[in-house]
Amino acid sequence: MNISKFVTPEIIFGKNSIKQAGEACLRLGAKKVLIVSDQGVAVAGWLDKVVNLCKESCLPFATYTDITIDPKDTEVINGCRSYIENECDAIIGVGGGSALDVAKAIAIVATNGGEIKDYEGIDKIVHPLPPMIMIMTTAGSGSEVSQFSVIVDSTRKKKMTIISKSLVPDIAIIDPLTLMTKDSSLTAATGMDVLTHAIEAYVSIAATPLTDVQAKNALSLVATYLRPSVASKTNEEAKEAMAMASLQAGLAFSNAILGAAHALSHAIGGRFPLPHGEINAILLPYVMDFNFIAAPKRFIDMADCMGIDTRAFTQKEAGNAAIQYVRELSADIGIPKQLREVGISQDMITSICQTALEDACMITNPRDMNLEQMKQLLHQVL
Amino acid sequence: MLEDKNEMIALLTGVESSKKSYYTELKKTVDMLQKKNMQLEIMNEVMKSIKIDMTLEEILNNMVDKLKNIIKFDRLSFFLLQNVSLTLINVFPENTFTIERGIDLPRDRSLYWMALTKRQVMFQQVETPTWNFHELEFLRNLKLTSILVVPIYSKNKEIGVICIGRCFREHWHSDDIAFLEQLADHLAVSIENTQLYNEVLRSKQEWENTFKAVDDMIIIFDKHVNVIQMNDSVRHFLKTHHHKDNLLLEQHYKRLANKTFQTEKARYKEIHFEDQSTFELYTYPVYNNKNIVNGVIAYVKDVTEKRKMEVQLLHSGKLAAIGEMAAGVAHELNSPLTAILGNSQLLLRNVKDDDDSFTLLRDIKTCGIRCKDIIKSLLAFSRQEEYTFQSFHINDAVKQVLNLLEYQLEKNQITVITNLHKDLPMIEGSQQQIEQIIINLLLNAKDAVEAIVKDDKEIEIITLLDNQAVKVSVCDNGIGIEQERLSKIFHPFHTTKEAEKGTGLGLSVSIGIAKTHGGSIDVISEVNKGSTFQLVLPLQPTNKTEASV
């Protein structure tokens, strides 16, 4: 891969940057905007904040908030109906990965027609999407900058990964102050998601120098600030750092794609309504262990980023140190260690693995993995 | 496998894909709209041609000009089904004629015919055709690679085909084909309309021409019995006739049309005009498609000549009969007369002048000769031969007539005064016919003087030369004619005499004869004082027509 490409939206970063929402929308030529969010965000007050900003900018709007964790295709259909009935011509997504992914999915169906499952896979979008502004409030999914949208097919019980350059939002607003309303467990789970994004993107076979910079920086920030961020809702420095980490990890994985941990996580998430970040965190050390031999040099780099002094280490020792670091971080912030702790049992392994092997994320996993190897890996995680 | 993987990665990272842009989308939409616009414009143009008077050629030229902008093609030809043959009407561009314009396409193995009869768009790759059709050869000569044949047809008939050819290899878009089919539908309507319109126009023109060409007057009335149309003959009549006649005509046709409208029956009336002409007026009801009378047609025919002819025929028929009889009687009388004359002459030779019987015998002889003269005149008058024009002296005619009638007149104590001009020129004409006029005038004069109680019944016959015309006047001192009746006396069957004495034909026949000699008959009359009828025969007839019976 000699030729690479790096896609990114306009990024507005900083404390109180959320105030740009209304004006940013107007700049994109919006006449009426659909604000997509979820109940949690609404309770935290961020929805009202955005609504008031739109009012201040004299921008007509409608809201849609019927979104669950691991959003379903049915939620997309309802949102799309709201978009069309209210004659909207732009979308604001406010919230974590779920709200932002649904906002993107609504944009697809509203302008391209059909059902969301018609667009599963890579580059299936034909017509341009309406202007999209994504306001990230969780520091995890990276959806505000990524070309991904993940929606659960409620009939097939599967997370559909939709990948398209058209899904890259027009403007991403990252306001670290929005992270101060998250409780510690959500901060922990989303923080581990950021870590997984950074690590998988860094070892991805589609990684490029541009993504590497983002991934390594994200990794360092997580290593330094995730613990303090989980520890305190009001640590502004930690929140700002985690917001940046989430943004950079998002830019990295959006362009370098992910790996086996996410492939498996998608397969599990489609079946169980578990926090995406938590599953990633549980799977990550095992996947790292399996992938180590594919890119030992990169593991040393990662250990360096985590602040481990690897100068005396062999490659293997450095790799193990990095994996160990991830385990310890998880343990420190209260992430379960085994899948059985979250309710996954033996008999589900085969079907989970079969689904995971078909996931687009498997393509960029640095080490080839067959069904047996994957099943064996899952056995360990159980 | 590696390639596959790299390809997948390229897809995932989007090296070969970009965010969809509204600009390109807009451009596409604008292009599409422009094309749609052009399509609509073409349709509109085709439909417009129905309303305004546009030739098929103009419609086609217009259409092709615009079509070029939205569908790529190198050649377009247009065939029209005329009667039973498919005829080439036009080709675009002009220089690609392969067969001559107006040439019919054979039906056998023809792709074009097939498209038309199956009512189906036909498509063929010229290089790799699915069958060997007739047109293949010249399409190849044109270096076309593909041909699309679009049939033009309406619900109940086939109209023609449009054939569009391309030299370049490019896929035919289904949208374009759908549009062409739609266009063909519109063209079908347009062409069918044009054809129908022309047909209507032509039959209307034919009808109007007929209407105009008719010599007789035709007037068409609407349901309120207003005149809505009249032919040129009516206008001519109104222009050339006296105001009084025009009023008379209008009065008659209005009255009759009203009657026809009310009774829903055809009506007939004869009209006599000031100028002695006679017209027959017929009115007929006109029914609409609900079988209700919603108009009337009046038909007015000038029957003056016809009447005259009829009268003359009737009169000459009578005369012929009389003549025949007279000739028979004359022959019968000739033999006894010869005996009387011969014997009286023989006797006279033997009788002395002073003999008592001499005077008697001489009277017998004189009367015999007189009888012979009368018979001779009678035979001459009744000669069964065509009336031919020749030179004759009017006085001879007068004398001949007097030979026939003098006795009759004198018997009735009518004094006949003849005042014949001695130096009259010869005139051209039929002596017998002129004699007939004089007989008629004399007999009328006789009846006129007999109808009055008077001691001195007089008829004077005068011949004279006046103003390059020979004139014969017959004056009587009889009952005369009322002023208001003067205009009617020349009408056929107009008479004041009892049925057995007159037919009412004499004067009308006379005036007919006078006219064929380019002459006329003038009348001056005063009641109870008498009448003068003057036959005027110009020396150089101005209005001489063929001598008629």
Side-chain angles (χ1 to χ4, degrees):
Chain A
M1 276 281 294
N2 299 320
I3 303 169
S4 66
K5 185 164 174 174
F6 191 81
V7 229
T8 159
E10 283 179 27
I11 299 165
I12 303 172
F13 186 92
K15 292 174 188 166
N16 288 318
S17 60
I18 194 169
K19 287 186 177 161
Q20 299 283 322
E23 291 304 318
C25 242
L26 289 176
R27 278 205 299 280
L28 293 178
K31 295 275 188 307
K32 187 170 184 182
V33 66
L34 181 70
I35 304 169
V36 181
S37 190
D38 60 39
Q39 287 303 320
V41 177
V43 169
W46 299 115
L47 179 61
D48 283 350
K49 177 91 183 166
V50 174
V51 162
N52 287 331
L53 286 165
C54 286
K55 283 180 185 164
E56 275 169 34
S57 305
C58 297
L59 175 65
F61 62 90
T63 56
Y64 178 69
T65 55
D66 290 335
I67 295 169
T68 55
I69 297 168
D70 296 324
K72 319 281 177 304
D73 44 9
T74 50
E75 293 161 22
V76 174
I77 292 168
N78 293 333
C80 188
R81 192 174 299 138
S82 179
Y83 179 89
I84 291 164
E85 279 170 6
N86 286 294
E87 296 178 347
C88 297
D89 59 359
I91 289 181
I92 298 180
V94 191
S98 303
L100 303 194
D101 281 359
V102 170
K104 289 179 180 180
I106 289 171
I108 298 172
V109 181
T111 49
N112 284 260
E115 292 175 68
I116 191 64
K117 69 167 188 232
D118 300 339
Y119 304 97
E120 184 183 1
I122 304 161
D123 249 342
K124 298 284 169 59
I125 295 170
V126 182
H127 301 295
L129 304 188
M132 292 185 288
I133 291 179
M134 296 299 166
I135 302 167
M136 199 278 301
T137 63
T138 58
S141 72
S143 192
E144 72 275 12
V145 293
S146 80
Q147 54 162 332
F148 286 67
S149 173
V150 181
I151 302 288
V152 174
D153 183 330
S154 49
T155 46
R156 286 183 294 163
K157 296 262 184 274
K158 186 192 167 209
K159 273 195 169 174
M160 298 180 284
T161 308
I162 301 156
I163 305 169
S164 166
K165 290 287 162 293
S166 292
L167 284 179
V168 176
D170 295 277
I171 297 176
I173 295 174
I174 298 109
D175 185 345
L177 297 182
T178 59
L179 304 181
M180 292 168 79
T181 54
K182 287 197 297 181
D183 60 31
S184 61
S185 68
L186 184 57
T187 306
T190 53
M192 285 310 285
D193 196 17
V194 174
L195 183 70
T196 317
H197 288 160
I199 292 173
E200 291 218 283
Y202 190 66
V203 298
S204 159
I205 57 172
T208 68
L210 276 173
T211 62
D212 288 348
V213 173
Q214 310 291 335
K216 284 207 287 199
N217 203 45
L219 200 51
S220 309
L221 287 171
V222 171
T224 316
Y225 290 103
L226 181 53
R227 287 183 182 92
S229 181
V230 172
S232 164
K233 271 191 184 182
T234 53
N235 183 341
E236 283 191 25
E237 192 195 347
K239 298 298 174 197
E240 192 168 355
M242 279 313 294
M244 181 55 81
S246 167
L247 167 65
Q248 291 186 323
L251 288 171
F253 90 78
S254 175
N255 290 288
I257 321 297
L258 298 157
H262 266 85
L264 279 162
S265 166
H266 287 156
I268 295 165
R271 292 169 172 77
F272 307 98
L274 299 169
H276 174 63
E278 235 172 66
I279 303 169
N280 279 341
I282 297 167
L283 289 165
L284 185 60
Y286 300 93
V287 173
M288 284 171 82
D289 191 39
F290 177 81
N291 281 343
F292 171 74
I293 58 160
K297 175 75 179 60
R298 294 217 153 221
F299 273 73
I300 299 169
D301 294 343
M302 289 196 291
D304 286 341
C305 289
M306 291 164 186
I308 300 163
D309 187 354
T310 56
R311 279 173 296 186
F313 288 1
T314 59
Q315 277 189 345
K316 182 69 186 164
E317 282 163 350
N320 282 339
I323 295 164
Q324 190 53 39
Y325 186 89
V326 171
R327 287 206 164 101
E328 281 168 12
L329 181 59
S330 281
D332 289 352
I333 58 173
I335 299 289
K337 286 194 180 62
Q338 304 296 132
L339 279 178
R340 85 176 83 85
E341 290 173 51
V342 294
I344 311 288
S345 59
Q346 193 90 35
D347 52 325
M348 299 164 187
I349 287 176
T350 307
S351 69
I352 287 172
C353 289
Q354 276 164 349
T355 312
L357 275 175
E358 282 166 22
D359 196 287
C361 293
M362 281 309 293
I363 294 163
T364 48
N365 194 60
R367 186 175 170 187
D368 297 340
M369 194 187 273
N370 59 29
L371 185 62
E372 277 313 309
Q373 287 167 322
M374 192 178 266
K375 276 158 83 173
Q376 205 178 333
L377 188 145
L378 265 193
H379 276 295
Q380 293 167 11
V381 189
L382 278 177
Chain B
M1 213 169 110
L2 180 68
E3 264 175 35
D4 286 354
K5 193 159 183 173
N6 282 339
E7 234 169 74
M8 281 305 287
I9 291 167
L11 269 177
L12 276 170
T13 56
V15 171
E16 280 161 12
S17 68
S18 288
K19 187 165 175 168
K20 294 281 179 290
S21 156
Y22 262 110
Y23 175 68
T24 47
E25 180 93 347
L26 195 66
K27 262 204 312 195
K28 252 189 267 169
T29 313
V30 168
D31 283 351
M32 210 173 66
L33 282 175
Q34 269 172 349
K35 193 170 169 177
K36 271 269 167 340
N37 243 353
M38 190 68 82
Q39 289 182 344
L40 281 174
E41 220 171 288
I42 295 173
M43 296 283 192
N44 192 34
E45 202 72 46
V46 169
M47 291 315 280
K48 203 166 74 183
S49 59
I50 297 174
K51 282 181 233 149
I52 58 175
D53 195 16
M54 235 181 179
T55 63
L56 186 58
E57 185 128 355
E58 283 169 323
I59 297 175
L60 286 176
N61 277 327
N62 251 333
M63 186 192 81
V64 172
D65 273 353
K66 297 223 164 61
L67 203 60
K68 277 191 291 204
N69 295 324
I70 54 167
I71 295 175
K72 285 193 221 159
F73 62 87
D74 294 296
R75 184 176 183 273
L76 184 145
S77 58
F78 181 82
F79 287 78
L80 204 59
L81 186 63
Q82 292 176 328
N83 293 324
V84 288
S85 48
L86 201 53
T87 312
L88 178 62
I89 297 297
N90 219 340
V91 165
F92 306 90
E94 286 276 351
N95 56 8
T96 56
F97 273 104
T98 46
I99 57 172
E100 298 229 350
R101 197 195 303 247
I103 293 269
D104 301 342
L105 210 59
R107 210 172 180 130
D108 185 39
R109 286 196 304 117
S110 166
L111 182 70
Y112 296 2
W113 267 108
M114 194 187 230
L116 189 59
T117 48
K118 285 195 171 174
R119 296 184 168 199
Q120 228 174 58
V121 176
M122 291 287 163
F123 174 76
Q124 283 290 324
Q125 299 282 1
V126 176
E127 288 158 326
T128 51
T130 52
W131 60 294
N132 185 22
F133 53 92
H134 167 77
E135 294 87 355
L136 205 53
E137 196 184 331
F138 69 75
L139 294 177
R140 271 186 183 140
N141 287 338
L142 285 167
K143 303 210 164 31
L144 296 175
T145 57
S146 61
I147 179 93
L148 193 71
V149 187
V150 185
I152 306 170
Y153 58 90
S154 68
K155 204 165 70 184
N156 39 27
K157 71 171 188 179
E158 282 90 21
I159 291 169
V161 288
I162 306 178
C163 313
I164 303 178
R166 278 181 178 172
C167 295
F168 51 94
R169 285 176 194 81
E170 194 183 300
H171 180 66
W172 286 85
H173 205 277
S174 62
D175 279 358
D176 289 345
I177 296 173
F179 169 70
L180 286 171
E181 282 185 277
Q182 215 178 341
L183 182 65
D185 286 348
H186 278 75
L187 264 181
V189 175
S190 190
I191 293 169
E192 203 174 26
N193 263 306
T194 311
Q195 285 174 346
L196 282 175
Y197 176 74
N198 285 335
E199 221 165 275
V200 169
L201 204 66
R202 194 171 51 240
S203 46
K204 186 167 180 265
Q205 198 73 51
E206 276 171 12
W207 185 86
E208 269 176 6
N209 288 343
T210 314
F211 182 71
K212 271 189 184 164
V214 173
D215 245 356
D216 303 322
M217 295 186 265
I218 299 174
I219 305 160
I220 303 172
F221 304 89
D222 64 9
K223 57 183 171 186
H224 306 297
V225 202
N226 294 320
V227 176
I228 50 171
Q229 217 173 344
M230 50 172 67
N231 65 357
D232 291 351
S233 302
V234 181
R235 285 184 196 98
H236 180 75
F237 180 93
L238 296 177
K239 217 185 287 172
T240 54
H241 280 69
H242 196 267
H243 181 63
K244 223 163 134 190
D245 282 349
N246 291 349
L247 277 178
L248 190 69
L249 176 70
E250 194 181 322
Q251 203 180 328
H252 275 101
Y253 69 57
K254 273 198 168 162
R255 195 181 305 152
L256 212 62
N258 264 315
K259 275 187 188 165
T260 294
F261 197 77
Q262 281 152 16
T263 58
E264 302 193 357
K265 279 192 181 113
R267 290 275 172 166
Y268 164 78
K269 172 102 181 126
E270 200 169 292
I271 315 171
H272 300 288
F273 291 108
E274 288 275 316
D275 64 348
Q276 312 303 329
S277 55
T278 308
F279 282 75
E280 283 177 348
L281 166 66
Y282 298 88
T283 51
Y284 305 98
V286 178
Y287 296 90
N288 65 6
N289 48 13
K290 284 173 191 147
N291 227 16
I292 293 166
V293 178
N294 69 341
V296 174
I297 285 181
Y299 176 81
V300 192
K301 189 175 173 62
D302 183 351
V303 292
T304 315
E305 285 303 316
K306 187 176 156 231
R307 261 319 115 77
K308 240 183 249 170
M309 213 98 90
E310 281 168 3
V311 169
Q312 280 182 10
L313 275 172
L314 194 66
H315 194 75
S316 53
K318 274 187 175 181
L319 283 175
I322 293 167
E324 219 167 301
M325 263 165 51
V329 171
H331 274 296
E332 287 297 315
L333 288 176
N334 249 346
S335 316
L337 253 183
T338 312
I340 290 168
L341 265 176
N343 289 344
S344 63
Q345 270 171 339
L346 277 175
L347 286 171
L348 266 175
R349 269 183 216 162
N350 303 323
V351 177
K352 295 253 170 59
D353 296 3
D354 52 355
D355 197 301
D356 289 344
S357 56
F358 180 78
T359 321
L360 296 174
L361 283 170
R362 200 183 54 195
D363 277 355
I364 291 170
K365 188 195 160 197
T366 313
C367 287
I369 289 166
R370 202 172 123 71
C371 284
K372 208 161 181 167
D373 281 346
I374 292 171
I375 287 164
K376 212 171 115 191
S377 293
L378 206 56
L379 278 170
F381 176 71
S382 65
R383 227 179 2 240
Q384 303 285 312
E385 61 190 35
E386 266 185 48
Y387 299 116
T388 49
F389 271 50
Q390 65 208 20
S391 283
F392 69 96
H393 203 283
I394 193 69
N395 288 355
D396 291 344
V398 175
K399 281 174 193 158
Q400 195 71 266
V401 171
L402 283 174
N403 263 343
L404 284 171
L405 297 179
E406 205 166 25
Y407 173 74
Q408 208 183 341
L409 294 170
E410 277 168 3
K411 192 189 82 185
N412 289 298
Q413 285 91 45
I414 298 166
T415 316
V416 179
I417 306 159
T418 54
N419 198 346
L420 306 181
H421 196 284
K422 288 201 177 73
D423 262 346
L424 290 177
M426 302 285 275
I427 51 169
E428 283 290 317
S430 160
Q431 191 177 337
Q432 282 96 328
Q433 282 190 311
I434 297 300
E435 281 172 15
Q436 199 178 319
I437 296 176
I438 301 167
I439 288 170
N440 286 336
L441 294 180
L442 271 177
L443 288 176
N444 280 347
K446 168 182 161 276
D447 289 338
V449 292
E450 277 181 349
I452 194 167
V453 187
K454 224 174 197 177
D455 291 338
D456 52 338
K457 296 172 182 173
E458 260 182 37
I459 295 174
E460 187 180 12
I461 304 173
I462 306 160
T463 59
L464 57 103
L465 181 67
D466 177 32
N467 201 15
Q468 288 298 301
V470 170
K471 297 181 176 177
V472 185
S473 291
V474 178
C475 315
D476 66 67
N477 57 354
I479 52 166
I481 306 163
E482 299 90 346
Q483 203 60 37
E484 58 271 27
R485 214 160 52 78
L486 270 180
S487 64
K488 294 179 186 164
I489 57 172
F490 291 102
H491 286 170
F493 304 106
H494 175 87
T495 182
T496 51
K497 302 168 190 172
E498 304 100 75
E500 59 272 21
K501 276 189 90 179
T503 56
L505 291 175
L507 275 178
S508 82
V509 169
S510 298
I511 191 118
I513 295 170
K515 279 184 182 165
T516 57
H517 285 78
S520 59
I521 298 173
D522 300 330
V523 199
I524 306 163
S525 183
E526 206 174 323
V527 177
N528 291 327
K529 292 251 171 95
S531 309
T532 300
F533 282 78
Q534 187 174 54
L535 168 65
V536 182
L537 296 167
L539 289 175
Q540 272 164 338
T542 46
N543 207 13
K544 187 175 122 182
T545 51
E546 283 266 322
S548 55
V549 181

